[in-house]
Amino acid sequence: MALYKVAPKNPYYFWAVMSIVMQAHMSDSKLSCTMYLPLAERMIAKMVKENKLEGEAELKLYIMVLEKSGKRQQALDFVNGLLEASFLGTPGSRWNFYLTKKAELLLRMERYSESNAIYRQLLLDDPDQWQYYQDYFTSMFALVDINWTPDETTQSVSCDYTVELALVFIEQGIAREEAKSSKKLRGPYLACLELLQLLLKRNHSAASRLASPLEQIKQYFTIFGDKNCCFSDISNYLYMLESETDKFLADILTSLGLNGENTEDMLAKEPKIMQRHVCYLAVSRRLGKHCLSHQEKLRLAEELIHRHREGLTLGTDLLTTDLQYSDNYCLLAVHLLYDAWCESGDQLLLWTICALLESALKSSPSNFHIKLLLTKIYSYLGIYGPSVGIKLELRHIQFDTLGYMCFHPALKVGHYSAWKSVLTEALLFFSTNFKDTSEYIISAYKYGSFTKVYEFVQFRQRLNDSLQFALLNVEKNICDLILETSNHQSAEKVLTSMDIDPIIDECKWEDLRDNRDLDVMLTWDPPHSCLTHEQRHLSFTEQKQWLRLRNLTVRALTAAMLLPALPLSHESTTSQAVNGGGTNMCDALLSLHDQLKQHVEELETEHTCERRYSLQGPFCTLIYPFVTGRHGALLLQFLRVVQCCFFLQDDTGKLETSDLQMLTLEIDESMKLVIGRVSEGIIVEGNGQQQFSASTLTQAVLAVETLSHGCLLLGVCDKLLQPLRPVTGRKKSKKKEETVQQAVTSVISITTVKNSFFTRNFAFKSSSIPELSNVNLNLFFYYYEFLPCY
């Protein structure tokens, strides 16, 4: 307002108004409704009264304030008044703000007849706007439900208040499209299918007046079957075919003319015919026609691979940025081979899939569907090296929505350098989020796009509350502790730079949001095989459980590292460690140990088997291998050793010699379990042939990580025991000396067991993991050797 007083211009005035609206957005609902929104409303009403509104954004801001205040009638009066004069709309315009806003307000106010009349008019002007059809049907059925009929005051309202009138309106729309000689619009045809679906759900007799689902879907396929959108358009209505699915598929296949006996007659000669055939195959898969025997799936996959290769000849003139016409043949074949692998467990099928996708990617290097599938299959095989060459090229918001496709595969197989690189790049986006969105908000203010200010603030908050952001932060801390620490001093420096408070949990668990895009991958599976809402929620819960496990681990390590006191003399050590801040940190460590123990026990109870989602679904976390490998129990035992070493500084008898002896035995047993899981080897026998065991590699990765944390904690023990060494001229009780000696002996014993683990398993780890990065060189050998048998 200070700027407006110096230079009374509308932009300055409305900047102040928008700032008040944003305060209302950030405050609680009571304060917002009683102070901020009324103030903003009065300020704009003053400008309206003085006829000083100049721009479109100022009018929209006033409507937004009135809607947020719940004053829809007042907003409608304003729309019918000043807004109507400002937004008359041009004849044939595809977007009439005045009419759409008026219809939206009327629908919310349950004035269905007026709303329906407006949507009817909008559809006459723009018959391809799907949102208009949805609101039109909503208002029409609302009128039907209340048995509304026009009276003397509403005779002039031209609305469709019965199903019969709606049928006539939709049929007229289709008739207008049929009369066209030019490009037809999809809207009227889809609206007829939607109306039929709604009537069938209501068991309305008027459904018989419309063409049957078979005739309508066949008609739609005939007109739009060569469009990429055809399958997604009709997939939600295929269930209405019921017993007529076989007839529908047979009629479509006959119309394509690709069911000849000769091989040449089976191949599409034009891209449009090929697209129709791909759509036919996708529809047949959605209808469950790919639920075949193992050999039938392999034969069909072989046929689709042949069609894909031959179809490449039709795309020789395409640019490298264009997708090949026959790419979906390859993707359908991959889905069939994946189904066969799920049933048989034959790893050779996964290698064949990789070879197929690598070959297809050379012909269509810009096809991101192929890249995503390759990344997924390589992860199932326990390979990350070739995935680096795929180059998903994530940018900006994709680090939040698609980042999960890169983070998990690198961690699962222990490619720590690649893992760190991906984490750093993604965190750079999140860290600059505040600065970037601030610039967008400033630009929105500058150019008067006030409605966008609110959207940008919501966008920023959505990123700040992202589960991926929280997970990346804690994973980066763990990655640095593994890679950037060569001794205890460097570990202390790394932890200091992290600035972690082990006492206060800074993660806002209740505000976490799942921003992952789990619909990015193509799927033509039947509805019961697709990713469900329950599975999405289950995956989100699993991700939060993994985040909590990592969060508690990092905070416990930090508390342990901050535990040792560094005074000049032994006396100061005892007084400071026991009576000063060391005690508070020890309490924090005890609390974190108990929380971590409880969480690990909950995970052991819940994750009794490995979860697997559909191919287009998310990755599973490493909770199951973490629990079955007993890594949580080993980490807890290391933390307990640190606590015991700390209690040696206290003469109150908190530590018994038997405690350390028992811990030593427990750690020895846990080490044997960890070694046993890793010693199984990465090459196992399966289906009569040798197969690569990705699970063993994951166990090795988790073992290296757990032992890395153990090294840090043993360094803490060393720090705690150093001040307790015998000092010349000092007298120490015999019992105290024996306890300290027992502690030193136990720590040495634990260190010996740890070194034995690395001696027995480091050769396995160092020789096996790098070789996997070069496995891509042999993929085409598998491809050409084994594919012909399918």
Side-chain angles (χ1 to χ4, degrees), residues 1-24 36 39-40 43-44 47 52-54 57-59 61-62 64-65 438-454 457:
M1 288 301 294
L3 281 172
Y4 182 74
K5 291 177 181 178
V6 175
K9 296 181 179 180
N10 272 26
Y12 302 150
Y13 186 87
F14 281 92
W15 288 356
V17 174
M18 189 62 209
S19 299
I20 295 172
V21 173
M22 294 310 301
Q23 284 180 290
Y36 292 119
L39 176 59
M43 290 177 68
I44 303 178
M47 299 294 283
K52 290 185 178 180
L53 294 184
E54 297 177 352
E58 298 165 3
L59 301 171
L61 179 59
Y62 188 34
M64 183 175 72
V65 171
S438 297
E439 293 178 355
Y440 303 150
I441 294 171
I442 292 171
S443 298
Y445 270 107
K446 180 179 178 181
Y447 297 108
S449 301
F450 298 116
T451 55
K452 295 298 179 184
V453 174
Y454 180 69
V457 171

Side-chain angles (χ1 to χ4, degrees), residues 591-616:
S591 175
L592 290 168
H593 173 275
D594 293 341
Q595 293 179 52
L596 183 58
K597 181 180 179 181
Q598 180 183 357
H599 188 57
V600 170
E601 290 174 350
E602 291 173 354
L603 295 179
E604 289 175 347
T605 303
E606 183 175 345
H607 294 265
T608 56
C609 60
E610 188 173 10
R611 293 173 180 171
R612 177 179 290 176
Y613 301 99
S614 59
L615 183 58
Q616 80 275 13

Side-chain angles (χ1 to χ4, degrees), residues 24 34 77 83 87 93 118 167 206 267 289 292 340 489 501 508 512 515 562 567 621 691 731 744:
T34 57
D77 295 338
L83 192 66
F87 293 90
S93 173
I118 295 176
L167 288 173
L267 300 177
K289 300 305 178 181
L292 309 170
Q489 290 72 23
D501 189 344
K508 300 178 181 179
L512 290 177
N515 296 335
L562 296 177
T621 63
Q691 296 188 0
K731 292 186 177 180
V744 173

Side-chain angles (χ1 to χ4, degrees), residues 20-36:
I20 295 172
V21 173
M22 294 310 301
Q23 284 180 290
H25 167 64
M26 300 302 294
S27 61
D28 61 88
S29 58
K30 183 178 180 180
L31 187 62
S32 172
C33 295
T34 57
M35 186 173 75
Y36 292 119

Side-chain angles (χ1 to χ4, degrees), residues 513-691:
R513 304 187 61 168
D514 188 3
N515 296 335
R516 295 174 299 169
D517 185 358
L518 301 179
D519 297 315
V520 66
M521 296 181 67
L522 277 177
T523 179
W524 303 279
D525 294 342
H528 65 270
S529 300
C530 294
L531 194 67
T532 63
H533 292 291
E534 291 76 13
Q535 289 176 325
R536 294 169 191 266
H537 179 71
L538 183 64
S539 173
F540 180 48
T541 303
E542 185 181 352
Q543 290 287 334
K544 288 199 293 185
Q545 290 175 335
W546 177 251
L547 171 61
R548 180 166 177 77
L549 177 65
R550 308 293 266 183
N551 176 276
L552 290 172
T553 300
V554 170
R555 289 168 59 205
L557 291 174
T558 304
M561 294 290 287
L562 296 177
L563 196 58
L566 299 173
L568 296 176
S569 63
H570 174 65
E571 289 82 353
S572 60
T573 298
T574 304
S575 61
Q576 182 174 349
V578 177
N579 301 320
T583 303
N584 294 332
M585 195 54 66
C586 184
D587 292 340
L589 181 58
L590 286 170
S591 175
L592 290 168
H593 173 275
D594 293 341
Q595 293 179 52
L596 183 58
K597 181 180 179 181
Q598 180 183 357
H599 188 57
V600 170
E601 290 174 350
E602 291 173 354
L603 295 179
E604 289 175 347
T605 303
E606 183 175 345
H607 294 265
T608 56
C609 60
E610 188 173 10
R611 293 173 180 171
R612 177 179 290 176
Y613 301 99
S614 59
L615 183 58
Q616 80 275 13
F619 290 109
C620 296
T621 63
L622 300 184
I623 290 179
Y624 179 73
F626 181 87
V627 169
T628 54
R630 304 293 296 168
H631 301 284
L634 183 57
L635 180 60
L636 289 168
Q637 290 159 3
F638 277 124
L639 290 172
R640 183 60 182 151
V641 170
V642 173
Q643 297 168 20
C644 291
C645 291
F646 177 80
F647 288 144
L648 283 173
Q649 304 176 57
D650 190 1
D651 295 326
T652 58
K654 290 184 179 180
L655 176 69
E656 295 293 338
T657 305
S658 59
D659 293 344
L660 275 172
Q661 293 176 343
M662 184 63 68
L663 270 175
T664 304
L665 295 175
E666 290 177 359
I667 290 177
D668 185 44
E669 290 298 322
S670 297
M671 287 283 194
K672 290 179 180 178
L673 289 174
V674 171
I675 292 172
R677 292 302 302 273
V678 175
S679 300
E680 294 174 357
I682 60 173
I683 304 299
V684 297
E685 292 291 333
N687 294 315
Q689 58 184 354
Q690 288 187 331
Q691 296 188 0

Side-chain angles (χ1 to χ4, degrees), residues 36 56 75 87 131 182 188 229 289 296 331 348 350 397 420 430 432 434 463 588 612-613 637 668 694 699:
Y36 292 119
E56 169 188 336
F87 293 90
Q131 185 60 47
S182 57
C229 59
K289 300 305 178 181
E296 288 174 333
L331 296 179
L348 181 59
L350 292 183
I397 190 63
K420 181 179 180 181
F430 283 104
T432 58
F434 187 86
L463 288 180
R612 177 179 290 176
Y613 301 99
Q637 290 159 3
D668 185 44
Q699 287 293 341

